Amino acid sequence: MLEKLSLYSSLYGFVSKKSYGNFLYLNARSLKNSLQDLQDLVNTQNFLVHIIIVTETWLKESDVVYFNLIGCASFHSIRKCKTGGCVAIFIHDSFDNASILFEQDYNNNNILVVSLLQHNFKVIGIYRQPNNQSDPNSILFNEVFERT
């Protein structure tokens, strides 16, 4: 099923003493063009993904209500000043009490942090604009660590 997706994707499994489940990271290059493929993947019985992080969703504020996955809570960070970029995080419904800890559009870069309260676990999605003349990495990561 992964090869069918029109997404650039990597599948990451995360296992520790406390298993948080399976993670999927995708660079969508437009969620508008690939949402149905992603929903089909989520609906596949033998492919359970608990947390999906999608960069470059290219959504606008007005699009967000239409871009949710059935069976998942949806969280979005939208660029305010420019099109392109953006981050979405989808959390499987088996995780209760997922909520946005913070979301920020900084210098055309997006940070989205979702907290899984019952597990004391945070999911962080960052979109960093390519060819940015400044080095926002240290600022972005400092912002994440200061607030989490």
Side-chain angles (χ1 to χ4, degrees):
M1 177 66 97
L2 275 176
E3 61 276 354
K4 179 181 173 242
L5 286 175
S6 59
L7 306 168
Y8 297 94
S9 61
S10 299
L11 177 63
Y12 295 93
F14 176 78
V15 179
S16 70
K17 291 181 183 177
K18 293 182 179 179
S19 179
Y20 293 105
N22 296 315
F23 291 69
L24 179 64
Y25 165 79
L26 304 166
N27 181 334
R29 293 200 172 169
S30 179
L31 196 55
K32 293 177 184 181
N33 296 331
S34 53
L35 185 67
Q36 187 58 54
D37 288 340
L38 185 54
Q39 185 67 63
D40 291 345
L41 180 66
V42 169
N43 291 342
T44 302
Q45 289 181 337
N46 61 351
F47 189 80
L48 179 60
V49 178
H50 298 92
I51 298 170
I52 302 170
I53 301 170
V54 183
T55 57
E56 292 199 60
T57 63
W58 297 0
L59 298 179
K60 299 176 189 164
E61 192 84 39
S62 58
D63 296 330
V64 169
V65 328
Y66 304 108
F67 290 88
N68 300 302
L69 294 175
I70 298 168
C72 295
S74 303
F75 305 94
H76 300 272
S77 177
I78 305 298
R79 289 169 92 181
K80 311 292 187 258
C81 304
K82 205 171 177 182
T83 59
C86 309
V87 175
I89 296 176
F90 301 96
I91 307 292
H92 191 272
D93 285 343
S94 62
F95 287 99
D96 293 331
N97 300 320
S99 63
I100 292 179
L101 186 60
F102 77 92
E103 178 270 330
Q104 185 171 355
D105 175 14
Y106 173 79
N107 197 22
N108 290 317
N109 300 286
N110 294 91
I111 305 169
L112 179 59
V113 179
V114 174
S115 178
L116 303 177
L117 299 175
Q118 71 194 41
H119 296 284
N120 194 26
F121 187 77
K122 294 166 184 70
V123 179
I124 302 169
I126 297 177
Y127 167 75
R128 185 174 107 38
Q129 179 181 352
N131 302 321
N132 194 329
Q133 297 303 313
S134 64
D135 180 20
N137 287 340
S138 61
I139 296 168
L140 289 172
F141 292 122
N142 284 339
E143 186 73 25
V144 168
F145 292 121
E146 285 177 14
R147 292 192 178 198
T148 56

Coordinates of all heavy atoms in Angstrom, one line a residue, residues 70-115:
I70 N -10.6 9.9 9.2 CA -11.5 9.1 10.0 C -10.8 8.2 10.9 O -9.9 7.5 10.4 CB -12.5 8.3 9.0 CG1 -13.3 9.3 8.2 CG2 -13.4 7.4 9.9 CD1 -14.1 8.6 7.0
G71 N -11.1 8.2 12.2 CA -10.4 7.4 13.1 C -9.2 8.0 13.8 O -8.5 7.4 14.6
C72 N -9.0 9.3 13.5 CA -7.9 10.1 14.1 C -8.3 11.5 14.5 O -9.2 12.1 13.9 CB -6.8 10.2 13.0 SG -6.0 8.7 12.5
A73 N -7.7 11.9 15.5 CA -7.8 13.4 15.9 C -6.8 14.1 15.0 O -5.7 13.6 14.8 CB -7.5 13.6 17.4
S74 N -7.2 15.3 14.5 CA -6.4 16.0 13.6 C -6.0 17.3 14.2 O -6.8 18.1 14.7 CB -7.2 16.3 12.3 OG -7.6 15.1 11.7
F75 N -4.7 17.7 14.0 CA -4.1 18.9 14.5 C -3.3 19.5 13.3 O -2.6 18.8 12.6 CB -3.3 18.7 15.7 CG -4.0 17.9 16.8 CD1 -3.9 16.6 16.9 CD2 -4.8 18.6 17.7 CE1 -4.5 15.9 17.9 CE2 -5.4 17.9 18.7 CZ -5.3 16.5 18.8
H76 N -3.4 20.9 13.1 CA -2.8 21.5 12.0 C -2.1 22.8 12.5 O -2.5 23.5 13.3 CB -3.8 21.9 10.9 CG -4.5 20.7 10.4 ND1 -4.1 20.0 9.3 CD2 -5.7 20.2 10.7 CE1 -4.9 19.1 9.0 NE2 -5.9 19.1 9.9
S77 N -0.9 23.1 11.8 CA -0.2 24.3 11.9 C -0.1 24.9 10.5 O 0.4 24.3 9.6 CB 1.2 24.2 12.5 OG 1.8 25.4 12.6
I78 N -0.7 26.1 10.4 CA -0.8 26.7 9.1 C 0.1 28.0 9.0 O 0.2 28.7 10.0 CB -2.3 27.2 8.8 CG1 -3.2 26.0 9.0 CG2 -2.4 27.8 7.5 CD1 -3.0 24.9 8.1
R79 N 0.8 28.2 7.9 CA 1.6 29.4 7.7 C 0.6 30.5 7.5 O -0.3 30.5 6.7 CB 2.5 29.2 6.5 CG 3.6 28.2 6.7 CD 4.3 27.9 5.4 NE 5.4 28.8 5.2 CZ 6.2 28.7 4.2 NH1 6.0 27.9 3.2 NH2 7.2 29.6 4.1
K80 N 0.9 31.6 8.2 CA 0.0 32.8 8.1 C 0.3 33.7 7.0 O -0.5 34.4 6.5 CB 0.1 33.6 9.5 CG 0.0 32.7 10.7 CD -1.4 32.1 10.9 CE -1.6 31.4 12.2 NZ -1.5 30.0 12.2
C81 N 1.6 33.8 6.6 CA 2.0 34.9 5.7 C 2.3 34.4 4.3 O 2.5 35.1 3.4 CB 3.3 35.5 6.2 SG 3.2 36.2 7.8
K82 N 2.3 33.1 4.1 CA 2.8 32.5 2.8 C 2.1 31.2 2.5 O 1.6 30.5 3.5 CB 4.3 32.3 2.9 CG 5.0 32.3 1.7 CD 6.5 32.3 2.0 CE 7.3 32.3 0.7 NZ 8.7 32.2 0.9
T83 N 1.9 30.8 1.3 CA 1.4 29.5 1.0 C 2.5 28.5 1.0 O 3.7 28.8 1.0 CB 0.8 29.5 -0.4 OG1 1.8 29.9 -1.4 CG2 -0.4 30.5 -0.5
G84 N 2.1 27.2 1.0 CA 3.1 26.1 1.1 C 3.4 25.8 2.5 O 2.8 26.3 3.5
G85 N 4.4 24.9 2.7 CA 4.8 24.5 4.1 C 3.7 23.9 4.9 O 2.9 23.1 4.3
C86 N 3.6 24.1 6.2 CA 2.6 23.7 7.1 C 2.9 22.2 7.6 O 3.7 21.5 7.0 CB 1.2 23.7 6.5 SG 0.8 25.3 5.8
V87 N 2.3 21.9 8.8 CA 2.4 20.6 9.4 C 1.1 20.2 9.9 O 0.2 21.0 10.3 CB 3.3 20.8 10.7 CG1 3.4 19.5 11.5 CG2 4.7 21.2 10.3
A88 N 0.8 18.9 9.8 CA -0.4 18.2 10.4 C 0.1 17.0 11.2 O 1.1 16.4 10.9 CB -1.3 17.8 9.3
I89 N -0.6 16.8 12.3 CA -0.4 15.6 13.1 C -1.7 14.9 13.3 O -2.7 15.6 13.7 CB 0.3 16.0 14.5 CG1 1.7 16.6 14.3 CG2 0.3 14.7 15.4 CD1 2.3 17.0 15.6
F90 N -1.8 13.6 13.0 CA -3.0 12.8 13.2 C -2.7 11.8 14.3 O -1.7 11.1 14.2 CB -3.4 12.2 11.9 CG -3.6 13.1 10.8 CD1 -2.6 13.4 9.9 CD2 -4.9 13.7 10.6 CE1 -2.9 14.3 8.8 CE2 -5.1 14.6 9.6 CZ -4.1 14.9 8.7
I91 N -3.6 11.8 15.3 CA -3.4 10.8 16.4 C -4.5 9.9 16.4 O -5.7 10.3 16.4 CB -3.4 11.6 17.8 CG1 -2.3 12.7 17.8 CG2 -3.2 10.6 18.9 CD1 -0.9 12.3 17.7
H92 N -4.2 8.6 16.4 CA -5.3 7.5 16.4 C -6.2 7.7 17.5 O -5.8 8.1 18.6 CB -4.6 6.2 16.4 CG -5.5 5.0 16.1 ND1 -6.2 4.4 17.1 CD2 -5.9 4.4 15.0 CE1 -7.0 3.5 16.6 NE2 -6.8 3.4 15.3
D93 N -7.5 7.4 17.3 CA -8.5 7.6 18.3 C -8.3 6.7 19.6 O -8.9 7.0 20.6 CB -9.9 7.3 17.8 CG -10.4 8.4 16.9 OD1 -9.9 9.5 16.9 OD2 -11.4 8.1 16.1
S94 N -7.4 5.7 19.5 CA -7.1 4.9 20.7 C -6.4 5.7 21.8 O -6.3 5.3 22.9 CB -6.3 3.7 20.3 OG -5.1 4.0 19.8
F95 N -5.8 6.9 21.4 CA -5.2 7.8 22.4 C -6.2 8.8 22.8 O -6.6 9.6 22.0 CB -4.0 8.5 21.8 CG -2.8 7.6 21.6 CD1 -2.5 7.1 20.3 CD2 -1.9 7.4 22.6 CE1 -1.4 6.3 20.1 CE2 -0.8 6.6 22.4 CZ -0.5 6.0 21.2
D96 N -6.6 8.8 24.1 CA -7.5 9.8 24.6 C -6.8 11.0 25.0 O -5.6 11.0 25.3 CB -8.2 9.2 25.8 CG -9.2 8.1 25.5 OD1 -9.7 8.0 24.4 OD2 -9.4 7.2 26.4
N97 N -7.4 12.1 25.0 CA -6.9 13.4 25.6 C -5.7 13.9 24.8 O -4.8 14.5 25.4 CB -6.6 13.2 27.1 CG -7.8 12.9 27.9 OD1 -8.8 13.4 27.7 ND2 -7.6 11.9 28.8
A98 N -5.6 13.8 23.5 CA -4.6 14.4 22.7 C -5.0 15.9 22.5 O -6.2 16.2 22.2 CB -4.4 13.7 21.4
S99 N -4.1 16.8 22.7 CA -4.4 18.2 22.5 C -3.1 19.0 22.1 O -2.0 18.5 22.4 CB -5.0 18.8 23.8 OG -4.0 18.8 24.8
I100 N -3.4 20.1 21.5 CA -2.2 20.9 21.0 C -1.6 21.6 22.3 O -2.3 22.3 23.1 CB -2.7 22.0 20.0 CG1 -3.1 21.4 18.7 CG2 -1.5 23.0 19.8 CD1 -3.5 22.4 17.7
L101 N -0.3 21.3 22.5 CA 0.4 22.0 23.6 C 0.8 23.4 23.1 O 0.6 24.4 23.8 CB 1.6 21.2 23.9 CG 2.4 21.7 25.1 CD1 1.5 21.7 26.4 CD2 3.6 20.8 25.4
F102 N 1.3 23.5 21.9 CA 1.5 24.8 21.3 C 1.7 24.7 19.8 O 2.1 23.6 19.3 CB 2.5 25.7 21.9 CG 4.0 25.3 21.6 CD1 4.6 25.9 20.5 CD2 4.7 24.4 22.3 CE1 5.9 25.6 20.2 CE2 6.0 24.1 22.0 CZ 6.6 24.7 21.0
E103 N 1.4 25.8 19.1 CA 1.5 25.8 17.6 C 2.1 27.2 17.3 O 1.6 28.2 17.9 CB 0.1 25.6 17.0 CG 0.1 25.7 15.5 CD -0.2 27.1 14.9 OE1 -0.8 27.9 15.6 OE2 0.4 27.4 13.9
Q104 N 3.0 27.3 16.4 CA 3.6 28.6 16.1 C 4.1 28.6 14.6 O 4.7 27.7 14.1 CB 4.8 28.9 17.0 CG 5.3 30.3 16.8 CD 6.3 30.7 17.9 OE1 6.5 30.0 18.8 NE2 6.9 31.9 17.7
D105 N 3.8 29.7 14.0 CA 4.4 30.0 12.7 C 5.4 31.1 12.9 O 5.2 32.2 13.3 CB 3.2 30.6 11.8 CG 3.7 31.1 10.4 OD1 4.8 30.7 10.0 OD2 3.0 31.8 9.7
Y106 N 6.7 30.7 12.8 CA 7.8 31.5 13.1 C 8.7 31.7 11.8 O 9.2 30.7 11.3 CB 8.7 31.0 14.2 CG 10.0 31.8 14.4 CD1 9.9 33.0 15.1 CD2 11.2 31.3 13.9 CE1 11.1 33.7 15.3 CE2 12.3 32.0 14.1 CZ 12.3 33.2 14.8 OH 13.4 34.0 14.9
N107 N 8.7 32.9 11.3 CA 9.6 33.2 10.2 C 9.3 32.2 9.0 O 10.3 31.7 8.4 CB 11.1 33.2 10.6 CG 12.0 33.8 9.6 OD1 11.5 34.7 8.8 ND2 13.2 33.5 9.6
N108 N 8.1 31.9 8.7 CA 7.6 31.0 7.7 C 8.0 29.6 7.9 O 8.1 28.7 7.0 CB 8.1 31.4 6.3 CG 7.4 32.7 5.8 OD1 6.2 32.8 6.0 ND2 8.1 33.6 5.3
N109 N 8.3 29.2 9.2 CA 8.5 27.9 9.6 C 7.4 27.5 10.6 O 6.9 28.4 11.3 CB 9.9 27.7 10.3 CG 11.0 28.1 9.4 OD1 11.4 27.4 8.5 ND2 11.6 29.3 9.6
N110 N 7.0 26.3 10.7 CA 5.9 25.9 11.5 C 6.4 24.9 12.6 O 7.2 24.0 12.3 CB 4.8 25.2 10.8 CG 4.1 26.1 9.8 OD1 4.5 26.2 8.7 ND2 3.1 26.8 10.3
I111 N 5.9 25.1 13.8 CA 6.1 24.2 14.9 C 4.7 23.7 15.4 O 3.9 24.6 15.6 CB 6.8 24.8 16.1 CG1 8.2 25.4 15.6 CG2 7.1 23.8 17.2 CD1 8.8 26.3 16.7
L112 N 4.5 22.5 15.6 CA 3.3 21.9 16.1 C 3.6 20.9 17.2 O 4.3 19.9 16.8 CB 2.4 21.3 15.0 CG 1.0 20.7 15.4 CD1 0.2 21.8 16.1 CD2 0.4 20.2 14.2
V113 N 3.2 21.1 18.4 CA 3.4 20.1 19.5 C 2.1 19.6 20.0 O 1.3 20.4 20.5 CB 4.3 20.7 20.6 CG1 4.5 19.7 21.7 CG2 5.6 21.2 20.0
V114 N 1.9 18.3 19.9 CA 0.6 17.7 20.4 C 1.0 16.9 21.6 O 2.0 16.1 21.6 CB -0.1 16.8 19.4 CG1 -1.2 16.1 19.9 CG2 -0.5 17.7 18.2
S115 N 0.3 17.0 22.7 CA 0.5 16.3 23.9 C -0.4 15.1 24.1 O -1.6 15.3 23.9 CB 0.4 17.2 25.1 OG 0.6 16.5 26.3

